Amino acid sequence: WKRRDIFYKCSTGTQITNILCEVLLYFNKLNKMANQEHSRKKVSYFYNADIAHSHFGANHPMKPHRLAVTNNLIVEYGLYKRMSVYKPFNAHPAHMKSFHKNEYIDLLQKVTPDNITEDMTALLNQFNIGRCKDCPIFDNMFEFVKMSTGGSIAAATSLNRRSSDIAINWAGGMHHAKKSEASGFCYVNDIVIAILELLRQHTRVLYVDIDVHHGDGVEEAFYTTNRVMTVSFHLYGKRFFPGTGSVKDYGAKDGEFYSLNVPLKSGIDDETYERIFVPVMTKVMEVYRPSAVVLQCGADSLAGDRLGRFNLTLKGHGRCVEFMRSFNIPLMLLGGGGYTVKNVSRCWTYETSIALNVDIPDDMPHNEYFEHFKPNYKLHIKRDRNEKNMNTKKDIERLYMIAVENLRHIEHAPSIGIFRDNSDVIDWDEFHNAFHDFAPPDIRCPDLVRDRIVSPSNEFFDDDF
């Protein structure tokens, strides 16, 4: 409008066209700014520095120290300034017992490397604690479990209260733990406990797992319900832990077809992974329509991981976070696997920036662990050119068709029952009978009672059928 005087002085169609183009560009700029504002989400970040001091053992691949390296990068990149940062509370044993057996949690709480007795040995073997190298008994083990689980509960609570749109707990994601069994470096399944918290406010929760290992503990916990759908993209093979996650594992009873597994072969790269992840998750979101999403971002699916056999870069892994973020529904980001510390910290820092919709440079800022990232001191990693992608185009198409066929059985988003509020202490049937027996004839019957005794007009009909 500042150029309206020029508009009136125009004598040719070309000048008018030029000014109209400027006006359109101006409004396009306003629209772009509005979209950027809309893309900004309230992000909450949960981190307890004490958790990084835990130590599974000298030769154990799980290194909680990776969380300290990740947090330091997040600070040095300045990402902490753009989100709410919290130190979460330590979970109480009662929180853990909402899923796990009481005896199992009581034993976890009690056992230390120094107090193992013969009486404990049978229970330890039963619960798979200390029996194998995967789940050793180490100092402050229960403190580690409390901090990891507390962060996930706090993240779920922030989503329930709508104080954040995205909640991050990189210390969580322990997806292998069972109801009464430690498994795969996991003692307490913080994911299941966090989802149970989300179910207080959300009718349907979607769990997505991009760890290289199958999310068996979470799938098993919700195998017979339709209020939680689990989707796992993982390396599948009898010789690869945990050996579960076939396409034939799709749930049971009320949860039939609400467990979706996408078993992949080794060496998968960014392009192939996106070619299966995006179409499958598009269909899942279209059919299931969750009101909250939990995404387990296990970094052992990156190229060069000590235990994984995938060949993803940070961009391919982060593309999954970016895609799930685009649906604009409450999103929880959790950690999980990841056994090459420098790559894990790179990955979760990069995915924190994706949650914030912020671009960060590839050149790494100077930080406390700068020498970990030599020789190039870059954020992004390169995939292994020697790792062959065993997933053919035909394999990917077959997996997609199986997923679509399974999803076809849940054409509509599942509903939940509507239950009468127990706080209503009046028995209206009894009230109705008493009302007609004793009420004076000039007192009108309350609408609430009338509604209960009048049949809907469509309940009976005169048709022969």
Side-chain angles (χ1 to χ4, degrees), residues 8-38:
Y8 288 128
K9 293 177 183 178
C10 289
S11 58
T12 66
T14 303
Q15 290 174 303
I16 294 174
T17 302
N18 290 340
I19 293 175
L20 287 174
C21 286
E22 285 190 31
V23 172
L24 288 172
L25 288 171
Y26 175 72
F27 280 107
N28 186 47
K29 183 178 179 181
L30 288 179
N31 185 51
K32 186 176 180 180
M33 290 171 63
N35 288 336
Q36 288 177 344
E37 186 67 28
H38 178 70

PDB file of all heavy atoms in Angstrom, residues 8-38:
ATOM      1  N   TYR A   8      -1.504   4.644  -9.164  1.00  0.00           N
ATOM      2  CA  TYR A   8      -2.408   5.559  -9.845  1.00  0.00           C
ATOM      3  C   TYR A   8      -1.735   6.236 -11.029  1.00  0.00           C
ATOM      4  O   TYR A   8      -2.396   6.654 -11.991  1.00  0.00           O
ATOM      5  CB  TYR A   8      -2.914   6.620  -8.876  1.00  0.00           C
ATOM      6  CG  TYR A   8      -3.904   6.073  -7.867  1.00  0.00           C
ATOM      7  CD1 TYR A   8      -3.714   6.292  -6.505  1.00  0.00           C
ATOM      8  CD2 TYR A   8      -4.998   5.325  -8.274  1.00  0.00           C
ATOM      9  CE1 TYR A   8      -4.603   5.781  -5.570  1.00  0.00           C
ATOM     10  CE2 TYR A   8      -5.887   4.804  -7.345  1.00  0.00           C
ATOM     11  CZ  TYR A   8      -5.691   5.038  -5.995  1.00  0.00           C
ATOM     12  OH  TYR A   8      -6.564   4.530  -5.066  1.00  0.00           O
ATOM     13  N   LYS A   9      -0.394   6.385 -10.982  1.00  0.00           N
ATOM     14  CA  LYS A   9       0.326   7.059 -12.054  1.00  0.00           C
ATOM     15  C   LYS A   9       0.664   6.125 -13.204  1.00  0.00           C
ATOM     16  O   LYS A   9       1.188   6.547 -14.221  1.00  0.00           O
ATOM     17  CB  LYS A   9       1.625   7.662 -11.505  1.00  0.00           C
ATOM     18  CG  LYS A   9       1.365   8.799 -10.512  1.00  0.00           C
ATOM     19  CD  LYS A   9       2.677   9.306  -9.939  1.00  0.00           C
ATOM     20  CE  LYS A   9       2.409  10.403  -8.888  1.00  0.00           C
ATOM     21  NZ  LYS A   9       3.676  10.871  -8.276  1.00  0.00           N
ATOM     22  N   CYS A  10       0.395   4.815 -13.009  1.00  0.00           N
ATOM     23  CA  CYS A  10       0.749   3.854 -14.052  1.00  0.00           C
ATOM     24  C   CYS A  10      -0.056   4.120 -15.311  1.00  0.00           C
ATOM     25  O   CYS A  10      -1.263   4.351 -15.259  1.00  0.00           O
ATOM     26  CB  CYS A  10       0.488   2.431 -13.587  1.00  0.00           C
ATOM     27  SG  CYS A  10       1.649   1.912 -12.330  1.00  0.00           S
ATOM     28  N   SER A  11       0.589   4.043 -16.424  1.00  0.00           N
ATOM     29  CA  SER A  11      -0.114   4.255 -17.694  1.00  0.00           C
ATOM     30  C   SER A  11      -0.060   3.034 -18.580  1.00  0.00           C
ATOM     31  O   SER A  11      -0.722   2.989 -19.605  1.00  0.00           O
ATOM     32  CB  SER A  11       0.506   5.455 -18.439  1.00  0.00           C
ATOM     33  OG  SER A  11       1.886   5.229 -18.656  1.00  0.00           O
ATOM     34  N   THR A  12       0.734   2.026 -18.210  1.00  0.00           N
ATOM     35  CA  THR A  12       0.843   0.822 -19.034  1.00  0.00           C
ATOM     36  C   THR A  12       0.508  -0.407 -18.216  1.00  0.00           C
ATOM     37  O   THR A  12       0.646  -0.419 -16.983  1.00  0.00           O
ATOM     38  CB  THR A  12       2.269   0.664 -19.598  1.00  0.00           C
ATOM     39  OG1 THR A  12       3.153   0.434 -18.514  1.00  0.00           O
ATOM     40  CG2 THR A  12       2.706   1.915 -20.356  1.00  0.00           C
ATOM     41  N   GLY A  13       0.073  -1.437 -18.917  1.00  0.00           N
ATOM     42  CA  GLY A  13      -0.269  -2.692 -18.253  1.00  0.00           C
ATOM     43  C   GLY A  13       0.937  -3.347 -17.613  1.00  0.00           C
ATOM     44  O   GLY A  13       0.835  -4.031 -16.607  1.00  0.00           O
ATOM     45  N   THR A  14       2.132  -3.119 -18.182  1.00  0.00           N
ATOM     46  CA  THR A  14       3.342  -3.738 -17.648  1.00  0.00           C
ATOM     47  C   THR A  14       3.647  -3.233 -16.252  1.00  0.00           C
ATOM     48  O   THR A  14       3.990  -3.997 -15.349  1.00  0.00           O
ATOM     49  CB  THR A  14       4.533  -3.429 -18.574  1.00  0.00           C
ATOM     50  OG1 THR A  14       4.238  -3.893 -19.878  1.00  0.00           O
ATOM     51  CG2 THR A  14       5.805  -4.112 -18.052  1.00  0.00           C
ATOM     52  N   GLN A  15       3.500  -1.905 -16.056  1.00  0.00           N
ATOM     53  CA  GLN A  15       3.768  -1.329 -14.738  1.00  0.00           C
ATOM     54  C   GLN A  15       2.784  -1.863 -13.695  1.00  0.00           C
ATOM     55  O   GLN A  15       3.153  -2.157 -12.569  1.00  0.00           O
ATOM     56  CB  GLN A  15       3.685   0.203 -14.808  1.00  0.00           C
ATOM     57  CG  GLN A  15       4.835   0.828 -15.594  1.00  0.00           C
ATOM     58  CD  GLN A  15       4.639   2.316 -15.765  1.00  0.00           C
ATOM     59  OE1 GLN A  15       3.616   2.749 -16.302  1.00  0.00           O
ATOM     60  NE2 GLN A  15       5.618   3.088 -15.307  1.00  0.00           N
ATOM     61  N   ILE A  16       1.508  -1.963 -14.095  1.00  0.00           N
ATOM     62  CA  ILE A  16       0.499  -2.492 -13.170  1.00  0.00           C
ATOM     63  C   ILE A  16       0.824  -3.935 -12.801  1.00  0.00           C
ATOM     64  O   ILE A  16       0.763  -4.338 -11.635  1.00  0.00           O
ATOM     65  CB  ILE A  16      -0.905  -2.406 -13.808  1.00  0.00           C
ATOM     66  CG1 ILE A  16      -1.302  -0.938 -14.002  1.00  0.00           C
ATOM     67  CG2 ILE A  16      -1.944  -3.121 -12.931  1.00  0.00           C
ATOM     68  CD1 ILE A  16      -2.598  -0.750 -14.764  1.00  0.00           C
ATOM     69  N   THR A  17       1.232  -4.713 -13.785  1.00  0.00           N
ATOM     70  CA  THR A  17       1.582  -6.117 -13.537  1.00  0.00           C
ATOM     71  C   THR A  17       2.753  -6.239 -12.571  1.00  0.00           C
ATOM     72  O   THR A  17       2.752  -7.077 -11.663  1.00  0.00           O
ATOM     73  CB  THR A  17       1.941  -6.817 -14.866  1.00  0.00           C
ATOM     74  OG1 THR A  17       0.832  -6.714 -15.758  1.00  0.00           O
ATOM     75  CG2 THR A  17       2.271  -8.287 -14.642  1.00  0.00           C
ATOM     76  N   ASN A  18       3.757  -5.350 -12.748  1.00  0.00           N
ATOM     77  CA  ASN A  18       4.923  -5.395 -11.869  1.00  0.00           C
ATOM     78  C   ASN A  18       4.556  -5.107 -10.421  1.00  0.00           C
ATOM     79  O   ASN A  18       5.032  -5.760  -9.496  1.00  0.00           O
ATOM     80  CB  ASN A  18       5.976  -4.392 -12.336  1.00  0.00           C
ATOM     81  CG  ASN A  18       6.634  -4.821 -13.641  1.00  0.00           C
ATOM     82  OD1 ASN A  18       6.588  -5.997 -13.988  1.00  0.00           O
ATOM     83  ND2 ASN A  18       7.223  -3.867 -14.358  1.00  0.00           N
ATOM     84  N   ILE A  19       3.677  -4.122 -10.239  1.00  0.00           N
ATOM     85  CA  ILE A  19       3.286  -3.764  -8.873  1.00  0.00           C
ATOM     86  C   ILE A  19       2.436  -4.877  -8.255  1.00  0.00           C
ATOM     87  O   ILE A  19       2.601  -5.218  -7.076  1.00  0.00           O
ATOM     88  CB  ILE A  19       2.532  -2.424  -8.853  1.00  0.00           C
ATOM     89  CG1 ILE A  19       3.494  -1.310  -9.257  1.00  0.00           C
ATOM     90  CG2 ILE A  19       1.945  -2.154  -7.477  1.00  0.00           C
ATOM     91  CD1 ILE A  19       2.845   0.041  -9.390  1.00  0.00           C
ATOM     92  N   LEU A  20       1.557  -5.464  -9.033  1.00  0.00           N
ATOM     93  CA  LEU A  20       0.758  -6.585  -8.533  1.00  0.00           C
ATOM     94  C   LEU A  20       1.651  -7.754  -8.126  1.00  0.00           C
ATOM     95  O   LEU A  20       1.392  -8.432  -7.125  1.00  0.00           O
ATOM     96  CB  LEU A  20      -0.255  -7.028  -9.592  1.00  0.00           C
ATOM     97  CG  LEU A  20      -1.453  -6.094  -9.816  1.00  0.00           C
ATOM     98  CD1 LEU A  20      -2.289  -6.590 -10.991  1.00  0.00           C
ATOM     99  CD2 LEU A  20      -2.309  -5.997  -8.569  1.00  0.00           C
ATOM    100  N   CYS A  21       2.704  -7.981  -8.888  1.00  0.00           N
ATOM    101  CA  CYS A  21       3.651  -9.053  -8.549  1.00  0.00           C
ATOM    102  C   CYS A  21       4.339  -8.770  -7.223  1.00  0.00           C
ATOM    103  O   CYS A  21       4.549  -9.678  -6.411  1.00  0.00           O
ATOM    104  CB  CYS A  21       4.697  -9.201  -9.653  1.00  0.00           C
ATOM    105  SG  CYS A  21       4.062  -9.996 -11.143  1.00  0.00           S
ATOM    106  N   GLU A  22       4.673  -7.480  -7.005  1.00  0.00           N
ATOM    107  CA  GLU A  22       5.302  -7.113  -5.739  1.00  0.00           C
ATOM    108  C   GLU A  22       4.354  -7.352  -4.562  1.00  0.00           C
ATOM    109  O   GLU A  22       4.756  -7.803  -3.495  1.00  0.00           O
ATOM    110  CB  GLU A  22       5.732  -5.640  -5.771  1.00  0.00           C
ATOM    111  CG  GLU A  22       6.967  -5.385  -6.619  1.00  0.00           C
ATOM    112  CD  GLU A  22       7.498  -3.984  -6.426  1.00  0.00           C
ATOM    113  OE1 GLU A  22       7.355  -3.434  -5.315  1.00  0.00           O
ATOM    114  OE2 GLU A  22       8.055  -3.433  -7.384  1.00  0.00           O
ATOM    115  N   VAL A  23       3.073  -7.015  -4.781  1.00  0.00           N
ATOM    116  CA  VAL A  23       2.077  -7.243  -3.733  1.00  0.00           C
ATOM    117  C   VAL A  23       1.956  -8.728  -3.424  1.00  0.00           C
ATOM    118  O   VAL A  23       1.906  -9.148  -2.261  1.00  0.00           O
ATOM    119  CB  VAL A  23       0.713  -6.656  -4.153  1.00  0.00           C
ATOM    120  CG1 VAL A  23      -0.381  -7.069  -3.157  1.00  0.00           C
ATOM    121  CG2 VAL A  23       0.788  -5.145  -4.255  1.00  0.00           C
ATOM    122  N   LEU A  24       1.923  -9.545  -4.473  1.00  0.00           N
ATOM    123  CA  LEU A  24       1.817 -10.999  -4.278  1.00  0.00           C
ATOM    124  C   LEU A  24       3.035 -11.541  -3.543  1.00  0.00           C
ATOM    125  O   LEU A  24       2.917 -12.393  -2.665  1.00  0.00           O
ATOM    126  CB  LEU A  24       1.655 -11.701  -5.633  1.00  0.00           C
ATOM    127  CG  LEU A  24       0.300 -11.528  -6.322  1.00  0.00           C
ATOM    128  CD1 LEU A  24       0.351 -12.108  -7.732  1.00  0.00           C
ATOM    129  CD2 LEU A  24      -0.795 -12.207  -5.524  1.00  0.00           C
ATOM    130  N   LEU A  25       4.220 -11.035  -3.908  1.00  0.00           N
ATOM    131  CA  LEU A  25       5.432 -11.473  -3.226  1.00  0.00           C
ATOM    132  C   LEU A  25       5.415 -11.092  -1.749  1.00  0.00           C
ATOM    133  O   LEU A  25       5.876 -11.831  -0.886  1.00  0.00           O
ATOM    134  CB  LEU A  25       6.670 -10.871  -3.905  1.00  0.00           C
ATOM    135  CG  LEU A  25       7.038 -11.460  -5.275  1.00  0.00           C
ATOM    136  CD1 LEU A  25       8.140 -10.636  -5.932  1.00  0.00           C
ATOM    137  CD2 LEU A  25       7.490 -12.905  -5.123  1.00  0.00           C
ATOM    138  N   TYR A  26       4.863  -9.895  -1.473  1.00  0.00           N
ATOM    139  CA  TYR A  26       4.775  -9.434  -0.084  1.00  0.00           C
ATOM    140  C   TYR A  26       3.885 -10.363   0.740  1.00  0.00           C
ATOM    141  O   TYR A  26       4.249 -10.797   1.840  1.00  0.00           O
ATOM    142  CB  TYR A  26       4.236  -8.011  -0.055  1.00  0.00           C
ATOM    143  CG  TYR A  26       3.981  -7.480   1.337  1.00  0.00           C
ATOM    144  CD1 TYR A  26       5.044  -7.151   2.181  1.00  0.00           C
ATOM    145  CD2 TYR A  26       2.687  -7.311   1.796  1.00  0.00           C
ATOM    146  CE1 TYR A  26       4.813  -6.680   3.458  1.00  0.00           C
ATOM    147  CE2 TYR A  26       2.449  -6.831   3.077  1.00  0.00           C
ATOM    148  CZ  TYR A  26       3.520  -6.518   3.909  1.00  0.00           C
ATOM    149  OH  TYR A  26       3.291  -6.042   5.165  1.00  0.00           O
ATOM    150  N   PHE A  27       2.708 -10.701   0.184  1.00  0.00           N
ATOM    151  CA  PHE A  27       1.797 -11.585   0.910  1.00  0.00           C
ATOM    152  C   PHE A  27       2.356 -13.005   1.002  1.00  0.00           C
ATOM    153  O   PHE A  27       2.121 -13.725   1.976  1.00  0.00           O
ATOM    154  CB  PHE A  27       0.417 -11.592   0.248  1.00  0.00           C
ATOM    155  CG  PHE A  27      -0.418 -10.405   0.612  1.00  0.00           C
ATOM    156  CD1 PHE A  27      -0.647  -9.391  -0.298  1.00  0.00           C
ATOM    157  CD2 PHE A  27      -0.953 -10.283   1.886  1.00  0.00           C
ATOM    158  CE1 PHE A  27      -1.414  -8.297   0.052  1.00  0.00           C
ATOM    159  CE2 PHE A  27      -1.709  -9.199   2.247  1.00  0.00           C
ATOM    160  CZ  PHE A  27      -1.943  -8.192   1.327  1.00  0.00           C
ATOM    161  N   ASN A  28       3.099 -13.421   0.000  1.00  0.00           N
ATOM    162  CA  ASN A  28       3.750 -14.728   0.050  1.00  0.00           C
ATOM    163  C   ASN A  28       4.786 -14.771   1.174  1.00  0.00           C
ATOM    164  O   ASN A  28       4.917 -15.775   1.878  1.00  0.00           O
ATOM    165  CB  ASN A  28       4.424 -15.011  -1.292  1.00  0.00           C
ATOM    166  CG  ASN A  28       4.994 -16.421  -1.357  1.00  0.00           C
ATOM    167  OD1 ASN A  28       4.324 -17.383  -1.000  1.00  0.00           O
ATOM    168  ND2 ASN A  28       6.233 -16.537  -1.814  1.00  0.00           N
ATOM    169  N   LYS A  29       5.489 -13.652   1.361  1.00  0.00           N
ATOM    170  CA  LYS A  29       6.466 -13.563   2.440  1.00  0.00           C
ATOM    171  C   LYS A  29       5.772 -13.645   3.794  1.00  0.00           C
ATOM    172  O   LYS A  29       6.241 -14.328   4.716  1.00  0.00           O
ATOM    173  CB  LYS A  29       7.243 -12.253   2.320  1.00  0.00           C
ATOM    174  CG  LYS A  29       8.333 -12.091   3.360  1.00  0.00           C
ATOM    175  CD  LYS A  29       9.089 -10.782   3.153  1.00  0.00           C
ATOM    176  CE  LYS A  29      10.168 -10.621   4.224  1.00  0.00           C
ATOM    177  NZ  LYS A  29      10.911  -9.338   4.050  1.00  0.00           N
ATOM    178  N   LEU A  30       4.627 -12.935   3.922  1.00  0.00           N
ATOM    179  CA  LEU A  30       3.864 -13.006   5.166  1.00  0.00           C
ATOM    180  C   LEU A  30       3.403 -14.427   5.452  1.00  0.00           C
ATOM    181  O   LEU A  30       3.455 -14.897   6.589  1.00  0.00           O
ATOM    182  CB  LEU A  30       2.646 -12.077   5.096  1.00  0.00           C
ATOM    183  CG  LEU A  30       2.905 -10.572   5.175  1.00  0.00           C
ATOM    184  CD1 LEU A  30       1.582  -9.826   5.068  1.00  0.00           C
ATOM    185  CD2 LEU A  30       3.605 -10.214   6.486  1.00  0.00           C
ATOM    186  N   ASN A  31       2.929 -15.113   4.401  1.00  0.00           N
ATOM    187  CA  ASN A  31       2.460 -16.494   4.556  1.00  0.00           C
ATOM    188  C   ASN A  31       3.593 -17.419   4.981  1.00  0.00           C
ATOM    189  O   ASN A  31       3.431 -18.303   5.829  1.00  0.00           O
ATOM    190  CB  ASN A  31       1.856 -16.971   3.235  1.00  0.00           C
ATOM    191  CG  ASN A  31       1.230 -18.340   3.354  1.00  0.00           C
ATOM    192  OD1 ASN A  31       0.427 -18.575   4.259  1.00  0.00           O
ATOM    193  ND2 ASN A  31       1.569 -19.232   2.444  1.00  0.00           N
ATOM    194  N   LYS A  32       4.787 -17.207   4.387  1.00  0.00           N
ATOM    195  CA  LYS A  32       5.947 -18.011   4.742  1.00  0.00           C
ATOM    196  C   LYS A  32       6.327 -17.801   6.204  1.00  0.00           C
ATOM    197  O   LYS A  32       6.648 -18.746   6.926  1.00  0.00           O
ATOM    198  CB  LYS A  32       7.110 -17.663   3.824  1.00  0.00           C
ATOM    199  CG  LYS A  32       8.330 -18.554   4.020  1.00  0.00           C
ATOM    200  CD  LYS A  32       9.409 -18.208   3.010  1.00  0.00           C
ATOM    201  CE  LYS A  32      10.627 -19.106   3.202  1.00  0.00           C
ATOM    202  NZ  LYS A  32      11.698 -18.784   2.226  1.00  0.00           N
ATOM    203  N   MET A  33       6.273 -16.535   6.639  1.00  0.00           N
ATOM    204  CA  MET A  33       6.596 -16.234   8.036  1.00  0.00           C
ATOM    205  C   MET A  33       5.593 -16.893   8.977  1.00  0.00           C
ATOM    206  O   MET A  33       5.950 -17.410  10.039  1.00  0.00           O
ATOM    207  CB  MET A  33       6.599 -14.718   8.251  1.00  0.00           C
ATOM    208  CG  MET A  33       7.753 -14.010   7.575  1.00  0.00           C
ATOM    209  SD  MET A  33       7.594 -12.215   7.635  1.00  0.00           S
ATOM    210  CE  MET A  33       7.648 -11.925   9.399  1.00  0.00           C
ATOM    211  N   ALA A  34       4.309 -16.899   8.552  1.00  0.00           N
ATOM    212  CA  ALA A  34       3.275 -17.537   9.373  1.00  0.00           C
ATOM    213  C   ALA A  34       3.502 -19.039   9.467  1.00  0.00           C
ATOM    214  O   ALA A  34       3.330 -19.643  10.531  1.00  0.00           O
ATOM    215  CB  ALA A  34       1.893 -17.245   8.788  1.00  0.00           C
ATOM    216  N   ASN A  35       3.911 -19.653   8.346  1.00  0.00           N
ATOM    217  CA  ASN A  35       4.182 -21.093   8.357  1.00  0.00           C
ATOM    218  C   ASN A  35       5.372 -21.432   9.247  1.00  0.00           C
ATOM    219  O   ASN A  35       5.367 -22.444   9.950  1.00  0.00           O
ATOM    220  CB  ASN A  35       4.450 -21.591   6.932  1.00  0.00           C
ATOM    221  CG  ASN A  35       3.185 -21.609   6.096  1.00  0.00           C
ATOM    222  OD1 ASN A  35       2.085 -21.683   6.641  1.00  0.00           O
ATOM    223  ND2 ASN A  35       3.331 -21.534   4.783  1.00  0.00           N
ATOM    224  N   GLN A  36       6.393 -20.574   9.215  1.00  0.00           N
ATOM    225  CA  GLN A  36       7.545 -20.799  10.074  1.00  0.00           C
ATOM    226  C   GLN A  36       7.152 -20.699  11.536  1.00  0.00           C
ATOM    227  O   GLN A  36       7.615 -21.465  12.379  1.00  0.00           O
ATOM    228  CB  GLN A  36       8.646 -19.788   9.747  1.00  0.00           C
ATOM    229  CG  GLN A  36       9.333 -20.045   8.413  1.00  0.00           C
ATOM    230  CD  GLN A  36      10.357 -18.984   8.076  1.00  0.00           C
ATOM    231  OE1 GLN A  36      10.367 -17.906   8.676  1.00  0.00           O
ATOM    232  NE2 GLN A  36      11.214 -19.272   7.117  1.00  0.00           N
ATOM    233  N   GLU A  37       6.282 -19.729  11.836  1.00  0.00           N
ATOM    234  CA  GLU A  37       5.826 -19.581  13.210  1.00  0.00           C
ATOM    235  C   GLU A  37       5.035 -20.807  13.646  1.00  0.00           C
ATOM    236  O   GLU A  37       5.155 -21.293  14.773  1.00  0.00           O
ATOM    237  CB  GLU A  37       4.948 -18.315  13.316  1.00  0.00           C
ATOM    238  CG  GLU A  37       4.531 -17.956  14.729  1.00  0.00           C
ATOM    239  CD  GLU A  37       5.714 -17.525  15.582  1.00  0.00           C
ATOM    240  OE1 GLU A  37       6.702 -17.003  15.036  1.00  0.00           O
ATOM    241  OE2 GLU A  37       5.646 -17.735  16.805  1.00  0.00           O
ATOM    242  N   HIS A  38       4.206 -21.326  12.698  1.00  0.00           N
ATOM    243  CA  HIS A  38       3.409 -22.511  13.011  1.00  0.00           C
ATOM    244  C   HIS A  38       4.294 -23.735  13.223  1.00  0.00           C
ATOM    245  O   HIS A  38       3.970 -24.616  14.008  1.00  0.00           O
ATOM    246  CB  HIS A  38       2.420 -22.775  11.872  1.00  0.00           C
ATOM    247  CG  HIS A  38       1.589 -23.996  12.076  1.00  0.00           C
ATOM    248  ND1 HIS A  38       0.613 -24.073  13.033  1.00  0.00           N
ATOM    249  CD2 HIS A  38       1.631 -25.216  11.466  1.00  0.00           C
ATOM    250  CE1 HIS A  38       0.051 -25.273  13.005  1.00  0.00           C
ATOM    251  NE2 HIS A  38       0.646 -25.979  12.063  1.00  0.00           N
TER     252      HIS A  38
END
